[in-house]
Amino acid sequence: MNTLRKNRILLGWLMMLLVAFQQVATPLQAATVYWIVGTSRTSSGTWNATGANWTTVAPPTTPGAGAAWVNQDIAVFGNNTTSSFTVNVNSLGMEVGGLTFLNSGITLNSSGTPAAPTGSLVLKNGAATPVITLGSTTTTTAFTTNMNVALSGSNGLSIVTPSTTSTVLGRLVLGSAGGSNFANTLTGGITVGAAGATAKTSLEVYNRTSSAYNPLGTNQITLNAGSTLDLRPTASSATGLSGRVFDIPATSNTSRVDFTQTATGESYPSRSMLSTGAASQNVVKLR
């Protein structure tokens, strides 16, 4: 007992060091934050590193003052209504732990040009795979999100539609149907749909610029049950989306590959598909 009394100061310091070490060793949890412009959840605007466009107050509650973006937070856009709007990404290298879109028709664009973007996102959720979520569990109609954003990251990407309605199709469009699109240097693979999901998920990809600005990067594509990959490159395979591996897991039904456009002036591109399922649920379209 006397020894403990004599060394209580030392023991106190040791306890403080242990608590401090535990706080450092335990990573901070990413927050879920919601896009606002003023108090509006459905207004177009610019997403940069300093704008006060984020709140932790979930809809439908009216938010208070917004705060600036914090790296690796999860960004949520919309308020479960039919309002659509556009958000321009206008800071380079902002880290985002995940993206959730609650309204159909939202568009996310990089600022600048494909050769010199002034806005880009790093998909980074600690060691976990970042997720793009299309709609919510209560979504009951077809759902589309448009993204033409310069993307990077090293832990891949998962795209899911959480609706509990079997007729819902969540559709993510990467690239631009009518113009230039930004490069994707993401690595780690892209997974479309979630195993056992009720709703279906579609990834639609445009490539209208050149192979240097491919929205899929060099990623292998994994299609879970009920998912679709729709490729819409140019007619020339030099700027197309060929040379890709498509992986359809054994838990899904597979599959057909539709060639609905003829590449002209080029040799046949390399396309490959890993297929282990039964018949005719997943569809890969190469246009």
Side-chain angles (χ1 to χ4, degrees), residues 10-268:
L10 177 61
L11 290 171
W13 278 106
L14 286 174
M15 291 301 296
M16 291 176 64
L17 287 172
L18 286 172
V19 171
F21 176 80
Q22 184 178 17
Q23 289 176 337
V24 171
T26 304
L28 294 175
Q29 297 296 311
T32 298
V33 292
Y34 301 83
W35 170 261
I36 56 172
V37 177
T39 59
S40 172
R41 298 184 185 273
T42 57
S43 292
S44 298
T46 298
W47 177 6
N48 57 37
T50 59
N53 295 111
W54 302 98
T55 178
T56 56
V57 179
T61 304
T62 301
W69 176 253
V70 175
N71 278 339
Q72 296 191 45
D73 277 354
I74 297 171
V76 182
F77 299 89
N79 60 349
N80 292 302
T81 66
T82 58
S83 299
S84 60
F85 53 94
T86 298
V87 176
N88 293 312
V89 179
N90 197 33
S91 285
L92 292 170
M94 291 187 295
E95 297 177 355
V96 57
L99 296 162
T100 297
F101 299 90
L102 298 178
N103 295 15
S104 182
I106 296 173
T107 298
L108 205 62
N109 288 327
S110 277
S111 299
T113 65
T118 57
S120 64
L121 297 177
V122 181
L123 299 179
K124 187 174 182 180
N125 185 21
T129 299
V131 178
I132 293 179
T133 304
L134 308 175
S136 67
T137 56
T138 59
T139 299
T140 57
T141 57
F143 196 98
T144 298
T145 296
N146 304 287
M147 286 182 59
N148 188 15
V149 180
L151 297 175
S152 63
S154 59
N155 290 327
L157 171 64
S158 179
I159 304 163
V160 301
T161 305
S163 173
T164 55
T165 302
S166 61
T167 56
V168 167
L169 173 65
R171 177 171 163 259
L172 176 64
V173 180
L174 290 182
S176 172
S180 300
N181 41 277
F182 290 83
N184 176 354
T185 59
L186 178 75
T187 60
I190 297 174
T191 300
V192 185
T198 301
K200 299 176 177 62
T201 303
S202 174
L203 176 60
E204 184 175 312
V205 185
Y206 288 87
N207 196 30
R208 300 300 196 210
T209 313
S210 75
S211 57
Y213 307 117
N214 189 334
L216 292 177
T218 58
N219 287 283
Q220 175 174 308
I221 309 301
T222 299
L223 300 178
N224 278 313
S227 58
T228 301
L229 178 66
D230 190 351
L231 303 182
R232 297 171 178 261
T234 60
S236 168
S237 64
T239 57
L241 294 161
S242 56
R244 188 164 311 285
V245 177
F246 304 97
D247 183 7
I248 298 180
T251 54
S252 71
N253 296 324
T254 358
S255 143
R256 74 172 186 269
V257 180
D258 295 337
F259 296 89
T260 58
Q261 187 177 64
T262 302
T264 58
E266 299 288 342
S267 59
Y268 287 107

